[in-house]
Amino acid sequence: MEQLAVYISVIIYLGVGSAIAFFSKKFLKRDFKDFYTASGRFGTLLATLSYAATTYSAFMFIGLVGLAYTTGVGALGFELIYFVGTLLLLYFIAPRYWRIHRRYGYVSPAEVLSARYGSRAVGASVTLLALVSLIPYASSQVIGVAMAAEGASGGTIPYVTAVVIAVAVALLWSMIAGMWSVGWTDVFQGMIMLLTGFLMVFWVYSWGYSARGFDFASLGPLSYVPNQYWSFSTFLNMTIPWFFFAITNPQVVQRLFSPKDHKTLRSMIVWFGAYGLLFTLLVTLLGLMLRGLTIEGSFPMVTYRDSVTPTLLGMAPLWIGVLGLVAVLAASVSTIDGILLTLSSMAARDIYESYRPESTRLKLLVGRATLGVLALACTAFALARPGFIVDLSVLSSSLLLPQAPIVIGMFLWKRGGRASAVLTLISGFAVAISLYFTKMTPLGVPMNAWTIIVSSIVYLLAASFERGPEGIEVFLGVGGEES
C-alpha cells in the first residue's frame, strides 16, 4: 500500500505539472525571444515563484538539510550569506539587466555581455564556461531526486529510474513552451516546496520536541562557529561563489528579463526575499532538529550527509514521505529545466548565431537540440554520483565566479572591451580549475578567494589599457522605470 501511494503521488505530480505546462502554450508567441524570455510579460506571481523555484533546489531539501545536520549552525550562516548577497546584487543589477533587455530585446545573459564588451567572442566564451560549469549543478539536482526516491519508496524506485524520470520531466516541461511552461510549472512547484517545508518541520517538531521544545545548546559544538568543520577558511571558500550566485549563474540572470514592468521587478525582489528567508530558516532548522534527535537517540546517526532527508522520508509517516519526495522532485525539476532552457538559448544565440548569422530560422531548432544533449550529459553525470550535492553546487558556482568582475564592471566602468573580458574569464577559470584539482591553498588562502582576486586584478589591469566600445553609455545608467 505504501509503495502504491508513492507511485500514485508521483504520477499525480507529473500529471498536474504536465497539464500546467501544456496550458501555458496558449501564452507562447512561438518566436525565439518569447520562447526563452516570455518577451518580458510575466506578472509578479510568475516572476517571483519562477525566480525562487529556479534558485532553490535539491540543494536545499537534500544538501542543506544534510549540511546543517552534519556541520551545525554554520550551514545557516553559509546560506544567509547567499541570501544577503543575492538581495544586494538584485537591488543594484536587476533594474539594469531589465532595462537593457527591454530596450534591445536581448535573449541570453551572455548576449548582454557581448554587447557591452563589443564582441560576440565574449558571449561565446561565457557560454562555453557555463556549459562546462553548470553540468555538476544540474546533475546534483537529479542525484537529490534519486536519493529521495530511494528513501521514500524503500528502494522500490531504483536510483537509475529516478534519474531518468527527473531528467525526462525537466526536458519535456522546458521544451513544451520554453519560459512559459517553465514559469507556470515553477509556480506550481514553488508552492509545493514551501508548503512541504512547513509540514516537515512541523511534523519533526511534534514528533520529537513537542513536550520540551528544541534547545540549540543541545547540539554542543554544532551550535556555534567556528567548529571542527566551519573554519574561517572553509566558510570563506564556500560563501564567496554563493555570494555572487545572482550574477554569475545564467539561469537566474535570464529570469530578470521576464517581469512585465519595473514595478513587477521590484515586487519580485521583495517577495523573493520573503520566500527565500522563510525557506532557508525552515530547511536549516529541519537539519538541526534531526541532529538533536540523533544526539538523543530518536533518529539514526547518518554519516553520509546527503542521506539525512532520504532517511527521514523512509521512517516518517506515509504522508510525510510522499510529500517530501514530491517536494524534492519539484525543487529539482524546477532548477534543472531552468538551467537547460538558459544554456540552450546561449548555445543557439551566442555560439551558433555567432558563426551562422544568416541561419537565424534554425536557432530555435539548435536550441531544442541542445536541450536534449544537455539532458543526456546531466544523466550521465548523475549516474556517476561524483560527490556531495552541496559540494557539486558550490563547484559550479566556483567555476562561474570569474564572470563577477566583468558583470559588475559592465555597469560601473567605461573601460574594457573584448580582450579584458576574455582574459578575465580565462585567468579566473584557470585558477579555479587548477586549485580545485591540486587542492592547493597558496599562502593559506582558499581556492575561491584566489579565483575572485586573480580575475578581478586581471580585469582591472586589462581594462585600464583598453577603451570600451562605442555606444556603451546605456549600460552605465541607473535602472529606470521604462515600460
Side-chain angles (χ1 to χ4, degrees):
M1 179 65 71
E2 291 185 1
Q3 295 173 2
L4 180 61
V6 170
Y7 285 117
I8 291 174
S9 65
V10 171
I11 291 171
I12 291 174
Y13 160 76
L14 297 177
V16 173
S18 297
I20 291 172
F22 280 105
F23 160 80
S24 70
K25 288 182 68 176
K26 75 175 189 176
F27 300 100
L28 181 65
K29 291 182 177 179
R30 298 187 182 277
D31 62 58
F32 189 84
K33 178 183 174 183
D34 202 59
F35 186 83
Y36 284 111
T37 69
S39 299
R41 295 192 285 137
F42 275 9
T44 300
L45 179 67
L46 269 173
T48 300
L49 287 179
S50 183
Y51 192 94
T54 300
T55 299
Y56 293 117
S57 58
F59 169 87
M60 301 293 283
F61 273 121
I62 302 292
L64 192 59
V65 170
L67 188 66
Y69 175 92
T70 304
T71 69
V73 296
L76 176 60
F78 157 68
E79 187 62 18
L80 287 178
I81 290 293
Y82 153 76
F83 177 73
V84 171
T86 294
L87 290 184
L88 288 174
L89 291 169
L90 285 178
Y91 178 80
F92 173 71
I93 295 290
R96 291 160 171 80
Y97 264 118
W98 179 84
R99 180 169 52 86
I100 292 295
H101 166 73
R102 198 73 170 179
R103 181 172 297 183
Y104 297 106
Y106 296 133
V107 171
S108 84
E111 190 178 9
V112 180
L113 289 165
S114 290
R116 163 58 182 85
Y117 289 101
S119 173
R120 283 187 173 272
V122 177
S125 299
V126 169
T127 298
L128 291 173
L129 176 66
L131 287 169
V132 172
S133 303
L134 280 172
I135 293 300
Y137 185 45
S139 301
S140 70
Q141 313 309 312
V142 186
I143 294 171
V145 170
M147 295 185 68
E150 283 188 322
S153 69
T156 59
I157 301 180
Y159 182 90
V160 175
T161 302
V163 166
V164 172
I165 290 174
V167 175
V169 172
L171 180 61
L172 173 65
W173 289 359
S174 58
M175 293 185 73
I176 289 174
M179 183 63 77
W180 286 105
S181 50
V182 168
W184 276 107
T185 53
D186 281 348
V187 171
F188 168 57
Q189 294 176 119
M191 290 177 175
I192 291 175
M193 291 158 56
L194 191 60
L195 175 62
T196 303
F198 266 116
L199 293 175
M200 290 177 72
V201 169
F202 174 77
W203 180 81
V204 170
Y205 185 85
S206 300
W207 169 53
Y209 294 103
S210 60
R212 62 192 185 285
F214 174 55
D215 181 11
F216 280 97
S218 66
L219 299 176
L222 300 182
S223 64
Y224 55 81
V225 290
N227 56 29
Q228 186 175 3
Y229 182 87
W230 289 110
S231 65
F232 176 75
S233 177
T234 298
F235 191 81
L236 185 66
N237 193 53
M238 292 185 68
T239 54
I240 287 175
W242 230 227
F243 184 90
F244 292 103
F245 183 96
I247 61 173
T248 59
N249 279 250
Q251 73 276 12
V252 292
V253 175
Q254 195 173 50
R255 291 301 184 281
L256 304 180
F257 299 162
S258 63
K260 65 181 180 181
D261 52 38
H262 195 266
K263 181 180 178 181
T264 300
L265 177 69
R266 290 200 308 267
S267 298
M268 181 198 83
I269 296 172
V270 171
W271 286 110
F272 166 74
Y275 184 106
L277 180 60
L278 185 57
F279 195 42
T280 296
L281 294 174
L282 287 171
V283 170
T284 50
L285 180 60
L286 180 61
L288 295 173
M289 288 196 303
L290 290 175
R291 184 54 181 254
L293 292 175
T294 293
I295 293 172
E296 296 178 0
S298 302
F299 186 75
M301 182 66 195
V302 181
T303 56
Y304 187 75
R305 68 185 190 222
D306 283 349
S307 295
V308 174
T309 299
T311 299
L312 172 65
L313 299 182
M315 62 180 291
L318 178 61
W319 67 275
I320 284 290
V322 166
L323 275 175
L325 172 58
V326 171
V328 173
L329 186 56
S332 302
V333 169
S334 64
T335 297
I336 301 167
D337 59 11
I339 291 175
L340 294 179
L341 187 69
T342 298
L343 290 180
S344 71
S345 73
M346 294 169 71
R349 190 78 157 190
D350 300 293
I351 294 180
Y352 178 78
E353 189 177 355
S354 295
Y355 298 100
R356 295 292 300 277
E358 73 283 0
S359 302
T360 53
R361 65 185 180 85
L362 297 177
K363 283 186 298 180
L364 195 55
L365 178 61
V366 171
R368 290 178 182 271
T370 304
L371 283 171
V373 173
L374 291 170
L376 291 175
C378 289
T379 301
F381 200 89
L383 292 176
R385 301 179 74 163
F388 289 118
I389 287 174
V390 169
D391 295 342
L392 291 173
S393 302
V394 173
L395 171 60
S396 286
S397 290
S398 299
L399 298 179
L400 292 168
L401 189 56
Q403 294 178 83
I406 67 173
V407 172
I408 295 173
M410 172 169 65
F411 297 112
L412 290 180
W413 204 14
K414 293 182 180 180
R415 307 290 299 183
R418 177 179 62 181
S420 306
V422 173
L423 284 173
T424 299
L425 294 172
I426 292 174
S427 61
F429 183 80
V431 169
I433 205 72
S434 60
L435 292 182
Y436 175 78
F437 283 110
T438 62
K439 307 301 181 186
M440 294 175 61
T441 55
L443 303 178
V445 177
M447 175 188 86
N448 290 317
W450 277 116
T451 301
I452 194 66
I453 289 170
V454 170
S455 56
S456 298
I457 290 175
V458 169
Y459 177 73
L460 290 171
L461 290 177
S464 296
F465 294 98
E466 185 181 26
R467 295 184 62 181
E470 296 294 327
I472 64 170
E473 289 77 13
V474 66
F475 289 90
L476 305 175
V478 176
E481 298 195 14
E482 299 177 28
S483 59

